[in-house]
Amino acid sequence: MVQPDQSSLRNQLLRALAPEDFALVGPYLEPVALPKGKVLIEPNQPIEYVYFAESGVASVVALNSDYRPVEIAIVGWEGLVGPSVILGVDRTPHQSFFQMEGEGYRIATSHLTQALEASRTLLDLLLRYIHVVTVQTAATAMSNGDSVLSERLARWLLMCHDRVEGNELALTHEFLSLMLAVRRPGVTEAIHLLEGTGMIRARRANITILDRERLEETAGDSYGVPEAEYERLIPNPEVSGGSHFRRGPREIE
């Protein structure tokens, strides 16, 4: 297997690794297609691989007794899917799947575990990422309990926008209702509100971000804390614009 060139990778965690730590994992990274709907981790099943996305967006969802999913975290090129492995846990009650198609790399759990045992600096970096994931999950809980639906939707669209190229998000109203754990008419009403004020344009199975700055204003305090923690704790591998995310005023083409 040919080790990928670290400097050419888009995944920010892999880019942030010290060269000696990347040498521990690079030879075991397998390129993988990540189509929409692909399940990466099943609930309560052994985690065989950890995934590093180069593009696309994954959802981590909790499932109730009727297997209705409620999203608790999203992951793109800034992170990894399978954080339980970093903590020495071999399975999770949550499901992870790809909500927007992409591609990336996977590494067998056994190989990543060996690398973590061999390098304290690798473990420290990935543990800092796990902290960011817990902060994002807490922010989601706070948003669900304290924000009106239009604010929650604005936050979620911003988080997806952070993790894709361009301003097009391939999303349906039905999918949004599942991820936000609300009825579809409520999502439709919130979309119409954001669209009516010029923040987004909604078409069948597609949402275009038109005014990111106003979306951030609408999301308010529900967006930004996990992103700031990531910036604080994960080294910036010379990403475009000097930031991992798109926070702040930004011209939309």
Side-chain angles (χ1 to χ4, degrees):
M1 189 179 301
V2 178
Q3 175 175 307
D5 176 16
Q6 185 181 14
S7 64
S8 68
L9 295 175
R10 300 180 69 187
N11 184 277
Q12 301 305 293
L13 275 183
L14 292 177
R15 289 278 302 275
L17 295 181
E20 57 270 25
D21 288 336
F22 185 76
L24 294 174
V25 300
Y28 303 106
L29 292 172
E30 307 172 32
V32 58
L34 299 169
K36 179 179 178 180
K38 179 178 176 62
V39 176
L40 306 181
I41 296 175
E42 290 281 14
N44 303 311
Q45 297 297 316
I47 301 172
E48 297 182 354
Y49 295 95
V50 171
Y51 294 80
F52 296 86
E54 290 276 285
S55 60
V57 180
S59 288
V60 183
V61 298
L63 301 170
N64 64 17
S65 58
D66 295 325
Y67 288 90
R68 178 181 172 85
V70 176
E71 188 173 66
I72 57 175
I74 70 172
V75 184
W77 54 31
E78 88 294 346
L80 61 83
V81 178
S84 300
V85 171
I86 314 304
L87 301 175
V89 179
D90 70 339
R91 65 196 68 197
T92 173
H94 303 138
Q95 183 187 68
S96 297
F97 68 94
F98 247 68
Q99 58 165 277
M100 296 183 192
E101 68 177 352
E103 56 187 17
Y105 292 90
R106 70 179 187 182
I107 182 171
T109 295
S110 58
H111 289 143
L112 181 57
T113 299
Q114 290 171 5
L116 292 169
E117 292 172 349
S119 173
R120 179 68 199 196
T121 56
L122 173 62
L123 176 61
D124 286 347
L125 176 68
L126 296 187
L127 284 176
R128 291 198 296 274
Y129 172 71
I130 302 306
H131 165 74
V132 174
V133 173
T134 63
V135 173
Q136 185 194 130
T137 303
T140 297
M142 184 178 72
S143 177
N144 288 348
D146 195 47
S147 300
V148 300
L149 183 53
S150 58
E151 294 170 346
R152 292 170 55 195
L153 177 60
R155 171 183 182 263
W156 197 83
L157 293 175
L158 288 166
M159 293 171 65
C160 288
H161 193 216
D162 283 336
R163 292 164 172 83
V164 301
E165 287 282 6
N167 303 309
E168 305 287 329
L169 306 177
L171 300 166
T172 65
H173 292 203
E174 181 178 5
F175 180 78
L176 287 168
S177 71
L178 287 173
M179 293 302 97
L180 295 172
V182 296
R183 294 173 61 86
R184 180 172 174 173
V187 168
T188 300
E189 182 178 348
I191 288 174
H192 288 165
L193 176 62
L194 299 184
E195 187 173 30
T197 52
M199 300 180 209
I200 64 173
R201 181 174 61 247
R203 298 292 183 267
R204 182 176 178 84
N206 183 272
I207 292 177
T208 303
I209 307 298
L210 299 177
D211 190 334
R212 175 162 178 118
E213 186 173 2
R214 290 185 65 192
L215 268 182
E216 291 190 19
E217 292 172 356
T218 299
D221 293 339
S222 71
Y223 173 78
V225 173
E227 291 75 18
E229 280 294 271
Y230 191 103
E231 300 284 7
R232 183 175 73 88
L233 296 172
I234 306 299
N236 186 330
E238 299 180 355
V239 295
S240 175
S243 174
H244 294 282
F245 300 101
R246 307 194 198 193
R247 297 178 63 207
R250 177 174 176 273
E251 180 180 354
I252 302 294
E253 298 177 356

